[in-house]
Amino acid sequence: MSMSNFLTSDSYMSKTSRSLITGFVGGLAGTAVKSLIEQFLPVRKVEQRSAQIKIVDDLSTKITGTPISTQNEAMAEQLVNLPVGGSLGAAYGYGKKDRLGLRPMDGVIFGATTWASTHETSLPILGLEPKPTDVPIRMQMNELFAHVAFGVTTELVRHYLEKQFRD
């Protein structure tokens, strides 16, 4: 069986593969949109380093003995954002494998729950971001908006690619 036949068939493996691939690509596109929005809407104080940079900086220090340079911070941030966004998108795509049709509200819910489960809970618990009560409400809303855009973009791209595979 050729790859194109495999991806267009309705077998369990084909649907699963298709949903993981379309979700992953959707998650990458969503991450790009989220990162672009964050260039224009502040999501943290100027002097505050992102959780992604803290993670890569800590890893760099452990491996090389030196932190990442200031010039490489933007790239380092994307080294975390892209795999996380793609993985979240793949999980989202898998969850949608038996639901045909475009559902932007699913993307809104996906983005909002991603925000709540990271920026409002797990990242502050891990000490990678300040507690939500220490973050200005405007920055929290900017972050929520960026995550909702991530979720909606993931849904739009996932749906488009899924339709292309099926047709």
Side-chain angles (χ1 to χ4, degrees), residues 9 21 58 63 65 68 71 87 93 95 102 106 110 115 136 159 162:
S9 102
I21 291 167
D58 186 48
I63 293 172
I68 58 171
Q71 305 94 301
S87 299
L102 177 64
D106 288 354
F110 172 56
W115 168 76
H159 170 73
E162 178 73 27

Side-chain angles (χ1 to χ4, degrees), residues 67-150:
I68 58 171
S69 66
T70 307
Q71 305 94 301
N72 292 331
E73 284 185 353
M75 181 180 65
E77 191 165 23
Q78 295 313 312
L79 285 174
V80 176
N81 281 345
L82 289 170
V84 169
S87 299
L88 286 169
Y92 175 76
Y94 178 78
K96 303 264 307 182
K97 77 177 176 0
D98 294 321
R99 294 189 73 192
L100 297 179
L102 177 64
R103 292 185 171 81
M105 196 61 193
D106 288 354
V108 170
I109 294 166
F110 172 56
T113 56
T114 300
W115 168 76
S117 64
T118 55
H119 295 279
E120 297 299 296
T121 53
S122 61
L123 293 175
I125 289 170
L126 293 170
L128 295 171
E129 286 198 354
K131 296 182 291 189
T133 54
D134 297 339
V135 178
I137 200 76
R138 182 177 180 151
M139 288 185 184
Q140 286 185 347
M141 292 303 101
N142 289 347
E143 189 79 61
L144 174 59
F145 175 75
H147 276 81
V148 167
F150 160 76

Side-chain angles (χ1 to χ4, degrees), residues 19-93:
S19 67
L20 290 170
I21 291 167
T22 59
F24 181 79
V25 174
L28 292 178
T31 300
V33 167
K34 178 182 169 296
S35 295
L36 184 63
I37 289 169
E38 289 176 350
Q39 296 296 312
F40 298 100
L41 297 176
V43 294
R44 70 188 58 83
K45 296 175 183 169
V46 175
E47 71 279 357
Q48 181 186 346
R49 298 175 83 204
S50 71
Q52 300 91 321
I53 292 174
K54 289 177 185 176
I55 290 168
V56 174
D57 197 44
D58 186 48
L59 186 62
S60 173
T61 302
K62 286 180 181 172
I63 293 172
T64 67
T66 60
I68 58 171
S69 66
T70 307
Q71 305 94 301
N72 292 331
E73 284 185 353
M75 181 180 65
E77 191 165 23
Q78 295 313 312
L79 285 174
V80 176
N81 281 345
L82 289 170
V84 169
S87 299
L88 286 169
Y92 175 76

Side-chain angles (χ1 to χ4, degrees), residues 9-28:
S9 102
D10 277 335
S11 71
Y12 175 79
M13 286 300 293
S14 295
K15 284 169 62 174
T16 299
S17 299
R18 198 169 48 234
S19 67
L20 290 170
I21 291 167
T22 59
F24 181 79
V25 174
L28 292 178

